[in-house]
Amino acid sequence: MPEGQPGPVIFAAGTLMPVSSPPIRDGAVLVEDGRIKSIGPLFEVGRKNPDAEVHFFPNYAMIPGAVNAHAHLGFRRKDRPEGGTFSGWLGKLIERLPEKEAWTAEAARDSAREAVEAGTTYMAESSPYGECLPQLAESGMAGTVFAEFFPHEIGTPEEAVEFIVGKARELQKGLPERVHASISVHSTYTVDPESSCLAAQMTRELGWRLAIHLSESPEEVEFVRYGTGGLADIFGSNEWGGVGTSPVRYARDVELLAPETIAAHLATIVSEEDIEILAKTGVAAAHCPRSNDYLGCGVSPVPRMLERGIRVGMGTDGLWSSPSMNLFEETLFAVDLHGMDGVTGLSLATLGGARVLGIEGETGTIDVGKRADLALVEISPREEDPGRDVLEAAAGGGVILTVVGGDVIYNRLGV
Ligand SMILES: [Zn+2]
């Protein structure tokens, strides 16, 4: 198997599913310098490139790697707080933060490994002050760490934003070519309006992406609208809750919503008016249905958002609110939840995430010129709904090879 070797390599499979175009039987991808140089039937690509090393997997499907649009690496499956209500879960999570410090790095390493072994090639990760960047960087995946900041721990809004932007710049030093650092405004209830607005202005000026959690829970809706409820109880009475609007409207009013912004969840009471705001501002959505289910948060109106042209990608969230870091498993859950076909699901898990992150020119489909970010799945999909077959296989542990920029970062076959 190639390990960053210079010569051309052909990866071929019984079914090649580029996502941007129909499946190709016995399809091949020619990879050189980490990028896709050619795709087509193996006999053609092979004939034109006789010097290339060929790896052909006749009984497998090759798909673009998963692009996880919203994840947290620093959690583990063990001792996760009980779900049911978001504020109950968050309260317990906060209580356990001091003991969590001892195992966060190990959890991040394990979570990243699990994502890689499930065919993930790009991950948008959010962690406090970017603490999980080292584990993302060493995983072999491409990705962005969004450093969350909590202004009350730092100082004035100006000081807080200056600090976190400086922190992200520091994190950006010495990273692998395709690993980046940016910032996250954690939520409407942990970051004050002024800091939110300043952070959004800064990221726009710098051309960075901005990650936020938005309209995630009934408690958030109550907090923003009335300034009361479980989140007000946790964070104490505060001066900005109770503005009388939906979280989406509030986020627009503090200028958080823009094409560079990735809003995770949008699970609770997202109205038609909210969807209109999301569409008009061009904000992108990261859909994490299993986390929403576990925390009693509701169902995000994904089909309606897609109809309105809103970019939607999939996110696993972290292991304290979600059963796995397998984005294809997350997507299969979404497909069943919304009654979507498998091809739409596969597209959400790959191209959808890439569009959310503004990297669709680089990854998300198998197309000439893009990075060779690939996953090989143990399945010969049927013609009726090949996307569904592939999602089911990948969700069930069927990924056997993960390739990022032409480098094999996971190889279960060991060949
Ligand atoms: Zn999250």
Side-chain angles (χ1 to χ4, degrees):
M1 270 296 146
E3 208 50 73
Q5 66 180 53
V9 176
I10 290 172
F11 292 102
T15 310
L16 175 67
M17 297 176 71
V19 167
S20 51
S21 53
I24 303 169
R25 283 270 157 245
D26 291 340
V29 180
L30 176 73
V31 177
E32 207 172 349
D33 300 325
R35 289 191 184 265
I36 298 167
K37 296 286 172 189
S38 167
I39 69 166
L42 175 59
F43 71 89
E44 266 181 40
V45 177
R47 183 165 41 82
K48 287 182 190 156
N49 301 278
D51 298 335
E53 187 185 316
V54 180
H55 300 276
F56 180 39
F57 305 92
N59 301 315
Y60 294 80
M62 191 179 294
I63 58 176
V67 179
N68 191 333
H70 181 78
H72 306 284
L73 284 176
F75 296 98
R76 63 185 183 185
R77 204 164 270 109
K78 199 172 145 192
D79 61 26
R80 71 174 178 177
E82 198 182 307
T85 70
F86 183 79
S87 55
W89 171 84
L90 187 62
K92 288 198 195 80
L93 185 153
I94 291 169
E95 262 172 40
R96 292 183 195 173
L97 285 179
E99 64 189 77
K100 184 181 171 303
E101 264 177 52
W103 51 261
T104 297
E106 191 190 346
R109 204 167 295 121
D110 292 347
S111 293
R113 192 68 207 154
E114 189 172 313
V116 166
E117 292 180 2
T120 311
T121 51
Y122 196 102
M123 177 178 281
E125 201 276 343
S126 295
S127 47
Y129 304 100
E131 65 181 0
C132 295
L133 178 63
Q135 291 78 28
L136 178 75
E138 72 191 29
S139 72
M141 284 186 283
T144 300
V145 164
F146 292 92
E148 297 168 338
F149 69 112
F150 301 95
H152 66 276
E153 298 176 345
I154 303 167
T156 65
E158 287 80 11
E159 286 165 349
V161 171
E162 193 183 325
F163 175 82
I164 197 64
V165 168
K167 176 81 189 165
R169 284 189 199 280
E170 209 179 285
L171 292 171
Q172 286 163 355
K173 290 180 189 155
L175 290 176
E177 189 202 347
R178 295 181 65 198
V179 178
H180 310 283
S182 187
I183 65 171
S184 167
V185 168
H186 174 266
S187 66
T188 55
Y189 48 89
T190 50
V191 180
D192 63 276
E194 211 179 325
S195 299
S196 301
C197 187
L198 276 174
Q201 283 172 357
M202 276 302 282
T203 49
R204 277 197 285 280
E205 271 171 36
L206 292 162
W208 295 1
R209 301 271 145 191
L210 176 73
I212 62 174
H213 292 92
L214 188 62
S215 213
E216 178 174 5
S217 66
E219 291 94 326
E220 181 186 339
V221 170
E222 182 179 350
F223 175 85
V224 174
R225 198 172 280 278
Y226 304 112
T228 56
L231 292 171
D233 293 345
I234 292 174
F235 296 101
S237 64
N238 60 72
E239 58 285 18
W240 75 85
V243 293
T245 69
S246 72
V248 169
R249 247 178 100 165
Y250 163 80
R252 181 199 56 190
D253 293 346
V254 298
E255 298 174 36
L256 275 174
L257 303 185
E260 297 83 4
T261 306
I262 303 143
H265 299 296
L266 294 165
T268 301
I269 320 177
V270 177
S271 67
E272 195 57 35
E273 189 199 340
D274 290 333
I275 292 174
E276 200 52 38
I277 291 170
L278 297 168
K280 278 202 179 122
T281 52
V283 67
H287 181 37
C288 311
R290 294 187 303 173
S291 170
N292 299 151
D293 185 56
Y294 182 65
L295 301 177
C297 289
V299 175
S300 184
V302 166
R304 185 72 191 117
M305 291 199 289
L306 289 171
E307 261 173 36
R308 290 294 290 110
I310 295 164
R311 290 168 293 143
V312 179
M314 298 300 307
T316 55
D317 227 6
L319 286 177
W320 264 7
S321 61
S322 176
S324 78
M325 299 304 287
N326 183 329
L327 194 77
F328 294 118
E329 197 182 359
E330 188 78 43
T331 307
L332 187 62
F333 186 94
V335 161
D336 289 337
L337 185 66
H338 301 293
M340 296 186 291
D341 61 50
V343 169
T344 304
L346 185 60
S347 178
L348 283 178
T350 54
L351 178 60
R355 292 184 67 223
V356 162
L357 290 153
I359 52 171
E360 68 272 26
E362 282 286 292
T363 190
T365 62
I366 300 176
D367 278 305
V368 172
K370 290 196 185 187
R371 307 275 188 168
D373 295 344
L374 312 165
L376 191 67
V377 188
E378 196 168 8
I379 184 83
S380 295
R382 295 162 302 158
E383 275 177 26
E384 304 91 78
D385 190 354
R388 168 103 203 170
D389 287 352
V390 164
L391 281 179
E392 280 182 2
V399 170
I400 57 119
L401 194 75
T402 306
V403 180
V404 175
D407 290 335
V408 174
I409 63 163
Y410 171 61
N411 178 4
R412 201 164 81 202
L413 293 180
V415 292

